[in-house]
């Protein structure tokens, strides 16, 4: 330790009492901060010598020597594999671990597979001499399973299924009559092992015509579900759709077909594919969504082409100031709306990228529209647009502020976007419920609103309490003092 | 804080043996391919593997380089390639592309595929179709039980949930049965078995079959664990859908605990790097706060900080000898504690920040209203607004599911129009899994059902009804909640510092349904008197008990209970049962297909490209 004694004395004396003042018991976060500060202040003292008890951690946070760490290393070095290998060798070189004792233990491998009555004590003499014969916990480990071949031809369906469950290779070819095949399937189902059910289904799929297979599965729902999942997994879309058609499950058929769009990367091809989905027998609600999905992607393709062009031309201010972070293709509807409120807010309703056009086309509810537009304009600090969003004119030409989402929500969103106090204040004042207003004003430090509200409520006590929260000598404090000493107000307390 | 166990609480069995067993099996399998080899590991297996082995163990068994299985051509120049994978079709295709590329280039190497935890026939079929069956040798690494903590065993199979509860595929049931068989061989038979749910029943039956086939193995052994309780996740979706407020659950919801460890980012570590931290009973600080309601954690941590300071302060006024003692004996422990303390304080701070931003208070209020069934209108409009604001699509989905299940499908948001067209497939999946319930599908199902049953004989018709029951069922949550008293009546404040029941894990608002069922059955040692509840859960055919004579079971073992969650359990449920254990002098051991939470459940329901 290099620190001199004097240094340390001063350190302890100065930090100790300051750090631990937990008088303010009810404010949990500040309490937590205090603890954090205290603990951090100890760090200097604690961390300056050996770190031997800490895990060695690589730059990515993985413990050095862990498997995930090592894989990252290989991946990182894969470009120059020779060099990579050298590095790996030096880091975990053969010579260094060759000297290490076997990591697990000195016992032979096989000892682990023997029975023992109590873990931990298997080395003792009594264990070795105990009369319970050693049992094998992994009896099949000695021989790889692949070597279990069975050419016997007379296993019953139930024996066959049992052997399949154990992972043994077992020929199913002798089950040739439909009756035998179905009996095999019934046995598999009654044993509950899905892997075996699938194995039998693979055999049935290969040896039965699909009409017969489908017909038999229609009345065997457990097996049917296994076949459906199997077809999904191996990607046999054609047979899957045939199956749904046979079963008359029109909605699943439609959904299954529609699902394929996920595998199409090219936006134009995906769009064309979605078009083919429009006429499919979805539920009426879903049909509307499919239509919307198609229209949305169509729009996105147009907007994307246009905006990419604008951005690269470098002539449009908004794209220069706020370069796009990602393409708008395949983004959700609300993200698209946000995007268009951000980049295309002032466009006339006639354009595909105008927010109003999106709102109408996709029947976006008012609330959702206002929330999204507000977030987008606030992010750009376009306070006039925010103002306009909530201003309505009546037939006499008077303006009025209205918010379908409630002004408390407006204030929160503005605050999240770092709106200045003057702006916040304006909207806090529009909150109808007095308590909510007071809370929000206090939370966001809109002093004037708090002071005026207290005055209107004639709540002298609250005003007095608030005085301690404003800066000394500030205009707010003066204002409070003026009110408190005013003889015009009849305080209620 | 951190209530101690009752003095008569039984000791937990030592599960570290499972790790040794898995490691040695792997070593054995690697030795089956003698000589130098490159190992390709599936991403999902890396963390579990890290928990039982490390690079030097692999190197000792002549693994040269490690690669991640991903859709990229392999750069390996080794003569022997070994693949350690989950039995998935896409892995088979990847391996096939590698092998076939080699064949085309006229290159011969040795290939070995090790499936964990088991091989599926569908995988072999793909190998055969791709023309490489026989070119690769296959093996199984039956690593299906990873002890994440002293009382928590995970199968690390998150896909269990989707495979079974959405697709109806029973492929993992055998894996569960095998795992239970292994446990009973190592720790003795389970004298008392209970279960609820269709999958639970099947797993139980398959396991029993297995035991009979290999009989004699467990006979004569004294049972170490007196009870086993199997439970399907779909018996209780509600609990898993709630926001978690006990510390460990909150850490999971906020940072995602993966395979028992968490990545704390720079905002937590207050440095420029992330830190991977193991979260288990060995972390003394964590162990004391993990089961606590979040509101208690602050007080505890500051108390700890104060104590720590006091202990450091003792140095002052020590003479040389005392100082030497202090440095050699206590300093290391204090430093360790200091490090942990600052990590958890950092985590708390970060959680607070995030939650404040999200209006967590309002969210929790809505959840509680849904659970209790009042102000449904308000909750509905809160959820609609949540969707409109696009706070987080996963979160919105979760709330919609919670609304739909607690209200039995009677209440609906005008969700679809707000949600945008891109979630069509997710909605369809949620409905199929029973996470979103609506009235209409019930009727259409009965129509299909009657149509189908006309086609078949009566015996088969019964089976069909079974198969449909999980699809057609309604949640009946309100009625179940009343029957089981899930909403505690509280006069005044619920004291979260001194919890009185399991409801503390949800701020005193709700006793987790899954845990209440377990509590009730253990109390009765049967389902007696719970018929109505079982009926409301749509589990009349799937609630079972099986007791053997208890003469051999010690009274200690009878207070050890293994709870098996099929489809995943949450940290809140674990905390609640740990609490119950402390109250009753039991110890619970948890076996889950994976640790889950609401976000994971929702994500499992979304469709991505193949």
């Amino acid at each position: 330790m290099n620190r001199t004694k004097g240094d340390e004395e001063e350190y302890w004396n100065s930090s100790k009492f300051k750090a631990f003042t937990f008088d303010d018991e009810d404010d949990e976060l500040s309490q937590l901060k205090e603890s954090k500060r205290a603990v951090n202040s100890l760090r200097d003292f604690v961390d300056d010598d050996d770190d031997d008890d800490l895990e060695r951690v690589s730059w990515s946070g993985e413990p050095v020597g862990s498997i995930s760490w090592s894989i990252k290393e290989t991946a990182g070095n894969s470009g120059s594999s020779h060099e990579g290998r050298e590095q790996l060798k030096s880091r975990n070189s053969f010579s260094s671990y060759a000297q290490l004792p076997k990591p697990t233990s000195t016992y032979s491998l096989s000892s682990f597979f023997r029975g023992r009555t109590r873990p931990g004590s298997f080395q003792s003499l009594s264990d070795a001499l105990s009369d319970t014969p050693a049992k094998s916990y992994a009896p099949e480990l000695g021989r790889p399973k692949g070597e279990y071949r069975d050419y016997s031809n007379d296993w019953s369906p139930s024996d066959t299924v049992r052997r399949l469950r154990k992972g043994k290779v077992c020929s199913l070819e002798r089950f040739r009559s439909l009756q035998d095949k179905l009996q095999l399937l019934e046995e598999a189902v009654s044993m509950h092992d899905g892997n075996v059910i699938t194995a039998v289904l693979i055999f049935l799929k290969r040896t039965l015509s699909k009409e017969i297979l489908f017909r038999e599965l229609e009345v065997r729902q457990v097996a049917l579900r296994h076949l459906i999942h199997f077809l999904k997994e191996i990607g046999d879309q054609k047979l899957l759709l045939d199956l749904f058609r046979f079963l008359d499950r029109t909605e699943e058929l439609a959904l299954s077909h529609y699902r394929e769009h996920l595998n199409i990367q090219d936006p134009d091809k995906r769009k064309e594919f979605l078009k083919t989905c429009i006429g499919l027998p979805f539920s009426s609600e879903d049909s509307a969504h499919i239509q919307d999905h198609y229209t949305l992607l169509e729009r996105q393709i147009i907007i994307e082409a246009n905006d990419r062009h604008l951005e690269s031309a470098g002539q449009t201010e908004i794209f220069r100031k706020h370069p796009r972070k990602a393409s708008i293709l395949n983004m959700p509807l609300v993200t698209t709306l946000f995007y268009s409120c951000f980049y295309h807010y002032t466009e006339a309703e006639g354009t595909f990228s105008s927010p109003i056009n999106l709102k109408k086309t996709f029947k976006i509810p008012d609330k959702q529209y206002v929330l999204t537009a507000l977030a987008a304009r606030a992010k750009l600090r376009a306070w006039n647009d925010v103002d306009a969003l909530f201003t309505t004119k009546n037939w006499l030409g008077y303006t009025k502020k209205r918010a379908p989402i409630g002004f408390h929500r407006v204030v929160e969103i503005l605050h999240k976007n770092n709106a200045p106090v003057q702006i916040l204040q304006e909207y806090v004042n529009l909150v109808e419920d007095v308590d909510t207003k007071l809370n929000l004003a206090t939370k966001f430090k809109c002093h004037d609103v708090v002071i005026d509200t207290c005055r209107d409520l004639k709540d002298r006590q609250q005003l007095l309490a608030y005085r301690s929260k404003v800066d000394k000598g500030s205009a707010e404090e003066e204002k409070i003092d003026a009110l408190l000493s005013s003889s015009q107000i009849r305080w209620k307390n | 804080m951190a209530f101690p166990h009752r003095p008569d609480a039984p000791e937990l069995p030592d599960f570290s043996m499972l790790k040794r067993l898995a490691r040695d099996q792997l070593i054995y399998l690697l030795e089956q391919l003698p000589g130098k080899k490159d190992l390709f590991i599936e991403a999902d297996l890396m963390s579990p593997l890290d928990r039982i082995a490390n690079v030097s163990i692999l190197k000792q068994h002549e693994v040269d380089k490690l690669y991640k299985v991903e859709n990229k051509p392999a750069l390996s120049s080794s003569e022997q390639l070994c693949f350690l994978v989950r039995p998935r079709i896409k892995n088979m295709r990847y391996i096939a592309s590698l092998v076939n590329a080699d064949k085309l280039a006229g290159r011969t190497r040795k290939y070995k595929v090790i499936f964990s935890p088991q091989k599926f026939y569908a995988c072999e079929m793909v190998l055969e179709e791709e023309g490489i069956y026989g070119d690769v040798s296959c093996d199984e690494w039956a690593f299906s039980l990873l002890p994440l903590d002293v009382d928590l065993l995970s199968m690390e199979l998150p896909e269990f949930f989707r495979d079974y509860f959405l697709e109806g595929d029973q492929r993992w049931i055998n894996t569960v049965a095998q795992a239970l068989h292994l446990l009973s061989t190592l720790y003795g038979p389970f004298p008392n078995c209970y279960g609820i749910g269709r999958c639970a029943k099947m797993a139980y039956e398959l396991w029993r079959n297995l035991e009979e086939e290999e009989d004699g193995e467990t006979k004569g052994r004294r049972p170490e664990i007196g009870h086993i309780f199997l439970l399907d996740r779909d018996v209780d979706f509600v609990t898993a859908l709630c926001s978690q407020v006990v510390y460990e659950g909150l850490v999971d919801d906020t940072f995602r605990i993966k395979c028992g460890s968490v990545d704390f980012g720079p905002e937590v570590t207050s440095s420029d790097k992330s830190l991977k931290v193991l979260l288990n009973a060995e972390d003394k600080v964590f162990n004391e706060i993990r089961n606590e309601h979040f509101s208690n954690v602050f007080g505890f941590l500051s108390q700890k900080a104060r104590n720590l300071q006091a202990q450091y302060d003792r140095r002052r006024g020590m003479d040389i000898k005392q100082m030497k003692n202090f440095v050699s004996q206590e300093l290391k422990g204090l430093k360790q504690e200091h490090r942990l303390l600052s990590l958890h304080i950092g985590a708390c701070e970060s959680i607070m920040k995030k939650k404040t931003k999200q209006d967590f208070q309002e969210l929790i209020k809505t959840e509680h209203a849904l659970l209790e069934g009042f102000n449904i209108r308000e909750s509905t409009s809160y959820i609609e607004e949540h969707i409109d604001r696009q706070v987080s699509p996963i979160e919105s989905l979760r709330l919609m599911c919670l609304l739909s299940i607690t209200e039995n499908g009677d209440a609906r948001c005008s969700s679809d129009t707000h949600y945008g067209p891109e979630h069509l497939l997710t909605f369809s999946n949620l409905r199929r899994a029973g996470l979103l319930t609506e009235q209409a599908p019930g009727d259409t199902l009965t129509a299909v059902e009657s149509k189908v049953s006309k086609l078949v004989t009566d015996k088969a018709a019964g089976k069909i009804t079974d198969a449909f029951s999980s699809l057609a069922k309604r949640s009946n949550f309100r009625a179940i909640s009343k029957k089981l008293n899930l909403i505690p009546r509280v006069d005044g404040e619920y004291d979260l510092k001194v919890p009185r029941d399991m409801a503390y894990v949800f701020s005193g608002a709700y006793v987790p349904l899954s845990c209440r069922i377990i509590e009730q059955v253990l109390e009765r040692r049967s389902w007696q008197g719970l018929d109505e509840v079982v009926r409301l859960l749509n589990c009349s055919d799937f609630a079972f008990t099986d007791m053997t004579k208890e003469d051999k079971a010690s009274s200690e073992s009878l207070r050890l209970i293994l709870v098996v969650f099929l489809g995943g359990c949450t940290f809140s449920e674990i905390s609640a049962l740990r609490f119950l254990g402390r109250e009753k002098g039991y110890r619970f051991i948890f076996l889950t297909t994976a640790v889950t939470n609401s976000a994971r459940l929702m994500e499992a329901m979304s469709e991505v490209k193949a």
Side-chain angles (χ1 to χ4, degrees):
Chain A
M1 248 180 271
N2 295 326
R3 213 193 298 272
T4 65
K5 197 168 188 312
D7 270 355
E8 237 174 87
E9 283 297 330
E10 193 192 277
Y11 166 79
W12 286 107
N13 290 332
S14 61
S15 65
K16 189 183 117 197
F17 298 105
K18 208 171 154 218
F20 286 104
T21 46
F22 289 116
D23 301 328
D24 194 5
E25 285 288 341
D26 48 8
D27 190 351
E28 279 162 343
L29 191 58
S30 82
Q31 187 184 356
L32 195 68
K33 286 211 174 101
E34 291 290 346
S35 329
K36 188 182 158 106
R37 208 178 308 147
V39 169
N40 286 342
S41 72
L42 291 173
R43 182 168 290 158
D44 295 359
F45 164 67
V46 176
D47 279 353
D48 57 1
D49 52 21
D50 63 294
D51 273 343
D52 55 352
D53 58 332
L54 299 180
E55 224 178 347
R56 287 230 297 133
V57 171
S58 72
W59 57 270
S60 64
E62 304 283 353
V64 170
S66 79
I67 286 153
S68 359
W69 172 81
S70 184
I71 286 180
K72 279 188 195 143
E73 289 294 299
T74 339
N77 293 325
S78 57
S80 50
S81 72
H82 182 70
E83 194 188 337
R85 203 189 312 170
E86 286 308 309
Q87 275 180 11
L88 239 130
K89 261 191 191 167
S90 61
R91 200 171 281 121
N92 211 336
S93 71
F94 284 92
S95 57
S96 69
Y97 64 68
Q99 294 151 9
L100 290 171
K102 285 238 173 192
T104 47
S105 69
T106 48
Y107 319 124
S108 73
L109 263 181
S110 56
S111 76
F112 284 103
F113 301 131
R114 298 254 163 72
R116 46 185 105 93
T117 41
R118 193 67 218 191
S121 63
F122 53 91
Q123 255 278 300
S124 71
L125 253 178
S126 60
D127 258 351
L129 298 175
S130 73
D131 51 2
T132 40
K135 286 169 210 144
S136 168
Y137 291 138
E140 311 228 333
L141 218 58
R143 285 156 289 174
K145 294 231 171 87
E147 285 167 23
Y148 276 95
R149 287 195 189 265
D150 220 302
Y151 300 107
S152 171
N153 265 338
D154 38 359
W155 300 109
S156 69
S158 84
D159 283 338
T160 307
V161 161
R162 211 170 311 144
R163 294 180 63 78
L164 282 174
R165 199 208 70 224
K166 289 182 182 164
K168 291 174 183 171
V169 175
C170 194
S171 168
L172 302 179
E173 298 303 323
R174 56 173 287 266
F175 297 96
R176 302 196 71 163
S177 74
L178 181 60
Q179 197 192 351
D180 282 355
K181 288 179 206 282
L182 292 177
Q183 207 190 337
L184 192 63
L185 186 61
E186 306 264 300
E187 283 290 342
V189 169
S190 71
M191 202 180 55
H192 311 315
D193 183 353
N195 181 32
V196 177
I197 298 173
T198 306
V200 174
L201 286 171
I202 291 171
F203 168 66
L204 296 194
K205 173 175 168 270
R206 188 162 52 79
T207 56
L208 286 173
S209 83
K210 72 180 178 199
E211 285 72 26
I212 305 296
L213 178 66
F214 292 172
R215 186 191 73 200
E216 294 302 334
L217 290 188
E218 186 172 21
V219 292
R220 291 172 178 81
Q221 291 289 321
V222 171
L224 177 63
R225 274 192 266 171
H226 281 81
L227 182 69
I228 291 172
H229 190 216
F230 170 74
L231 293 176
K232 277 187 195 170
E233 281 205 312
I234 62 163
D236 194 340
Q237 180 78 1
K238 196 181 161 300
L239 195 60
L240 184 64
L241 296 184
D242 284 347
L243 176 57
F244 284 141
R245 225 167 273 136
F246 176 90
L247 297 170
D248 217 11
R249 294 196 189 171
T250 52
E251 218 180 310
E252 271 181 84
L253 175 73
L255 284 167
S256 235
H257 180 76
Y258 167 69
R259 193 190 176 285
E260 272 183 89
H261 82 266
L262 291 169
N263 298 325
I264 305 173
Q265 286 307 308
D266 181 78
D268 285 305
K269 281 188 188 142
R270 188 186 270 211
K271 185 189 80 177
E272 285 315 306
F273 180 83
L274 285 174
K275 200 174 184 179
T276 67
C277 296
I278 290 174
L280 296 175
F282 291 101
S283 70
S284 62
E285 249 175 70
D286 287 355
S287 290
H289 288 315
I290 300 289
Q291 175 70 53
D292 279 353
H293 195 172
Y294 167 72
T295 318
L296 180 64
L297 184 57
E298 192 184 33
R299 289 291 175 88
Q300 286 172 340
I301 290 173
I302 297 169
I303 298 174
E304 177 65 25
N306 191 37
D307 288 2
R308 200 190 300 133
H309 176 72
L310 284 177
E311 194 176 32
S312 60
Q315 297 296 313
T316 322
E317 195 191 346
I318 180 90
F319 289 109
R320 256 188 294 136
K321 268 194 183 163
H322 305 277
R324 303 184 313 149
K325 288 195 185 85
S327 135
I328 193 63
L329 291 173
N330 298 322
M331 289 295 169
L333 176 58
V334 178
T335 313
T336 313
L337 179 63
F338 182 90
Y339 177 96
S340 93
C341 287
F342 196 89
Y343 289 110
H344 303 279
Y345 197 60
T346 51
E347 273 169 31
E349 202 187 312
T351 67
F352 278 147
S353 47
S354 104
I356 297 292
N357 190 312
L358 286 177
K359 178 175 190 272
K360 286 208 170 138
T361 312
F362 297 102
K363 300 190 184 68
I364 296 169
D366 231 20
K367 279 187 185 178
Q368 193 164 25
Y369 177 78
V370 170
L371 279 163
T372 314
L374 173 61
R377 299 323 287 171
K379 195 157 195 109
L380 284 169
R381 311 180 74 78
W383 309 122
N384 286 337
D385 292 338
V386 171
D387 190 60
L389 204 51
F390 301 112
T391 308
T392 50
K393 263 193 187 142
N394 70 7
W395 60 279
L396 290 172
Y398 294 120
T399 58
K400 197 176 178 278
K401 296 275 192 201
R402 254 192 69 245
I405 51 174
F407 280 106
H408 65 287
R409 195 55 87 202
V410 175
V411 173
E412 275 167 20
I413 293 173
L414 289 174
H415 176 72
K416 263 183 204 151
N417 286 289
N418 304 316
V421 174
Q422 307 89 278
I423 302 287
L424 276 180
Q425 204 147 286
E426 190 183 324
Y427 291 95
V428 172
N429 257 326
L430 290 166
V431 174
E432 266 180 35
D433 181 67
V434 181
D435 288 335
T436 319
K437 187 203 284 192
L438 211 51
N439 277 337
L440 285 171
T442 315
K443 193 169 159 193
F444 299 136
K445 300 201 168 54
C446 302
H447 301 306
D448 280 342
V449 180
V450 179
I451 295 166
D452 293 346
T453 312
C454 286
R455 183 197 61 205
D456 295 347
L457 290 170
K458 307 203 185 320
D459 193 338
R460 188 183 163 87
Q461 292 310 314
Q462 188 155 357
L463 192 58
L464 214 52
Y466 197 72
R467 190 176 179 276
S468 65
K469 290 190 183 163
V470 300
D471 294 336
K472 292 258 174 302
S474 62
E476 288 80 25
E477 198 184 46
E478 268 175 44
K479 186 173 173 185
I480 294 176
D481 287 341
L483 281 172
L484 288 173
S485 59
S486 160
S487 53
Q488 305 284 312
I489 307 167
R490 290 159 118 205
W491 299 105
K492 70 172 182 187
N493 51 21
Chain B
M1 291 303 267
F3 317 90
H5 284 282
R6 267 172 34 173
D8 59 344
E11 289 284 313
L12 291 169
D14 174 17
F15 292 114
S16 60
M17 183 192 223
L18 292 167
K19 286 192 191 178
R20 286 206 303 271
L21 212 58
R23 181 172 54 213
D24 294 335
Q25 279 195 25
L26 178 64
I27 290 171
Y28 178 85
L29 291 169
L30 289 175
E31 283 175 351
Q32 294 297 107
L33 189 65
K36 261 195 173 185
K37 60 217 152 228
D38 281 356
L39 184 62
F40 290 69
I41 306 177
E42 163 135 36
D44 290 353
L45 277 169
M46 273 158 46
S47 300
L49 188 56
D50 252 336
R51 299 296 301 269
I52 60 152
N54 55 37
V55 178
S56 63
I57 290 180
L58 297 180
K59 298 262 167 188
Q60 271 174 348
H61 298 89
E62 296 182 273
V63 170
D64 189 16
K65 273 189 272 172
L66 292 170
Y67 294 91
K68 189 164 134 186
V69 172
E70 52 194 341
N71 259 333
K72 277 194 219 158
L75 295 153
S76 165
S77 55
S78 177
E79 286 312 302
Q80 303 200 87
L81 306 184
C82 188
F83 301 89
L84 187 56
V85 292
R86 291 267 184 240
R88 293 177 185 150
I89 304 292
K90 71 169 176 26
N91 290 332
M92 296 307 106
R93 299 240 159 95
Y94 168 75
I95 293 167
S97 71
L98 272 179
V99 176
N100 281 324
D102 278 356
K103 278 188 181 177
L104 217 63
R107 178 165 195 184
T108 44
R109 318 197 224 198
K110 266 193 166 174
Y111 313 94
K112 183 183 196 65
V113 185
I114 301 174
F115 293 96
S116 179
Q118 69 166 108
K119 171 177 76 180
F120 287 147
Y121 287 100
C123 292
E124 284 188 313
M125 184 209 79
V126 173
L127 294 181
E128 187 175 345
E129 280 184 355
E130 299 281 346
I132 60 163
Y133 192 92
D135 296 326
V136 298
S137 64
C138 295
D139 252 314
E140 289 179 334
W141 180 34
F143 174 38
S144 56
L145 287 171
L146 173 65
L148 290 178
D149 210 335
V150 288
D151 60 352
L152 174 58
L153 308 174
S154 169
M155 298 183 69
E156 292 295 311
L157 289 173
E159 60 262 60
F160 184 104
F161 180 68
R162 186 182 165 115
D163 283 347
Y164 180 76
F165 291 103
L166 177 64
E167 306 288 1
D169 193 318
Q170 302 167 7
R171 53 164 63 146
W172 299 114
I173 291 182
N174 185 41
T175 322
V176 173
Q178 297 280 1
L180 294 177
H181 180 59
L182 177 67
L183 285 179
S184 69
T185 12
L186 292 175
Y187 304 99
F190 303 93
N192 304 296
C193 304
Y194 321 90
I196 184 157
R198 189 185 168 78
C199 186
K201 195 171 186 203
M202 291 194 288
Y204 180 75
E205 285 173 6
L206 190 53
W207 169 41
R208 275 288 111 115
N209 272 337
L210 247 136
E211 304 259 298
E212 277 162 29
E213 275 171 38
E214 294 176 35
D215 69 336
E217 286 263 326
T218 59
K219 278 195 186 127
R221 289 285 305 269
R222 258 176 88 89
E224 279 188 61
I225 302 166
H227 308 265
I228 179 171
F229 196 114
L230 294 97
L231 181 125
D232 280 13
R233 183 70 272 173
D234 70 350
V235 165
D236 174 15
F237 278 143
V238 170
T239 303
L241 286 171
C242 292
S243 296
Q244 307 195 69
V245 286
V246 286
Y247 185 63
E248 193 167 11
L250 203 44
V251 170
D252 191 30
D253 279 359
T254 319
F255 306 103
R256 296 259 171 148
I257 299 175
K258 194 178 152 205
C259 206
S261 81
V262 69
D263 270 319
F264 281 137
E267 80 276 14
V268 174
T269 59
S270 39
S271 66
D272 50 357
K273 55 182 181 185
S274 295
L275 200 59
K276 205 172 198 144
V277 184
L278 274 186
L279 293 177
N280 57 33
E282 273 165 41
D283 177 338
K284 292 286 176 277
V285 175
F286 177 67
N287 198 37
E288 285 191 79
I289 52 176
R290 65 195 312 185
N291 300 313
E292 289 293 328
H293 189 272
F294 193 56
S295 61
N296 287 350
V297 174
F298 305 108
F300 176 82
L301 289 178
S302 53
Q303 180 63 46
K304 268 274 188 216
R306 248 176 297 181
N307 291 348
L308 191 65
Q309 175 89 56
Q311 277 178 290
Y312 276 118
D313 282 352
R314 286 196 298 113
R315 292 177 321 120
R316 295 196 300 161
M318 280 184 183
D319 60 27
I320 299 271
K321 200 177 165 206
Q322 286 169 321
M323 184 62 101
K324 198 177 156 197
N325 257 341
F326 174 80
V327 171
S328 66
Q329 289 172 11
E330 288 176 49
L331 193 57
K332 197 169 176 173
L334 291 182
K335 274 166 60 181
Q336 173 74 2
E337 193 176 330
H338 170 260
R339 175 178 156 262
L340 294 171
L341 203 49
S342 70
L343 264 180
H344 290 294
I345 289 174
C348 281
E349 211 180 23
S350 171
I351 289 171
M352 274 299 273
K353 258 190 220 151
K354 282 186 187 156
K355 294 296 169 191
T356 316
K357 238 197 204 153
Q358 285 172 14
D359 290 325
F360 197 50
Q361 205 53 46
E362 221 177 319
L363 187 75
I364 295 279
K365 224 175 82 192
T366 306
E367 281 181 30
H368 290 174
L370 289 176
L371 292 166
E372 288 171 47
F374 68 86
N375 284 348
I376 294 308
R377 278 272 265 313
E378 265 174 53
S379 303
T380 311
S381 68
Y382 174 85
I383 297 170
E384 280 178 7
E385 198 183 304
H386 198 276
I387 300 168
D388 286 345
R389 285 160 64 201
Q390 294 274 306
V391 187
S392 134
I394 288 282
E395 191 95 332
S396 303
L397 275 181
R398 171 178 82 83
L399 289 169
M400 285 171 56
C401 292
L402 199 57
L403 170 73
S404 142
I405 297 181
T406 52
E407 285 301 303
N408 214 353
D410 290 340
R412 279 190 68 186
C413 325
S414 46
S415 54
D416 301 351
T417 51
H418 297 239
Y419 223 87
E422 41 306 315
H423 294 278
L424 198 77
L425 293 166
T426 315
F427 277 109
S428 144
N429 287 344
L430 288 170
R431 280 191 285 265
R432 269 204 297 151
L435 278 157
L436 267 183
T437 52
E438 280 160 26
Q439 291 137 315
D443 303 332
T444 41
L445 264 177
T446 18
V448 177
E449 210 173 328
S450 63
K451 181 190 157 204
V452 170
S453 36
K454 271 181 219 138
L455 294 169
V456 288
T457 57
D458 44 358
K459 186 186 161 223
K463 279 188 185 161
I464 291 161
T465 323
D466 281 358
F468 272 108
S469 66
S470 78
L471 286 172
K473 78 182 176 193
R474 300 185 49 154
S475 75
N476 303 317
F477 178 76
R478 198 70 57 221
I480 295 166
S481 169
K482 233 178 234 153
K483 273 260 173 265
L484 287 174
N485 235 337
L486 299 184
I487 312 295
R489 250 171 248 305
V490 183
D491 307 315
E493 281 278 289
Y494 188 99
D495 186 357
L496 292 166
K497 287 207 166 74
V498 194
R500 69 180 93 174
D501 53 25
M502 294 188 281
Y504 93 93
V505 302
F506 293 115
S507 309
Y510 161 68
V511 179
L513 169 58
S514 53
C515 304
R516 178 69 101 200
I517 294 172
I518 293 166
E519 175 200 40
Q520 291 297 309
V521 172
L522 286 176
E523 217 162 73
R524 296 169 162 82
R525 295 271 181 107
S526 77
W527 291 95
Q528 217 167 28
L530 295 170
D531 311 341
E532 181 63 8
V533 174
V534 169
R535 193 186 61 78
L536 289 167
L537 287 168
N538 303 302
C539 280
S540 300
D541 296 330
F542 312 116
F544 57 91
T545 345
D546 190 358
M547 326 274 244
T548 49
K549 280 193 207 109
E550 287 175 21
D551 49 347
K552 267 198 266 168
S554 64
S555 78
E556 189 171 308
S557 74
L558 285 174
R559 280 177 286 118
L560 264 183
I561 301 132
L562 176 73
V563 184
V564 184
F565 283 90
L566 299 163
C569 78
T570 63
F571 282 118
S572 294
E573 288 168 309
I574 293 177
S575 288
L577 288 175
R578 281 180 185 147
F579 171 85
L580 182 68
R582 281 191 300 266
E583 292 279 292
K584 307 260 178 179
Y586 305 144
R587 290 299 290 272
F588 284 95
I589 300 155
F590 306 93
L591 194 174
T592 181
T593 50
V595 175
T596 193
N597 64 15
S598 56
R600 292 191 191 101
L601 287 194
M602 293 296 109
E603 282 158 10
M605 291 295 127
S606 68
E607 291 286 329
V608 286
K609 79 183 183 69

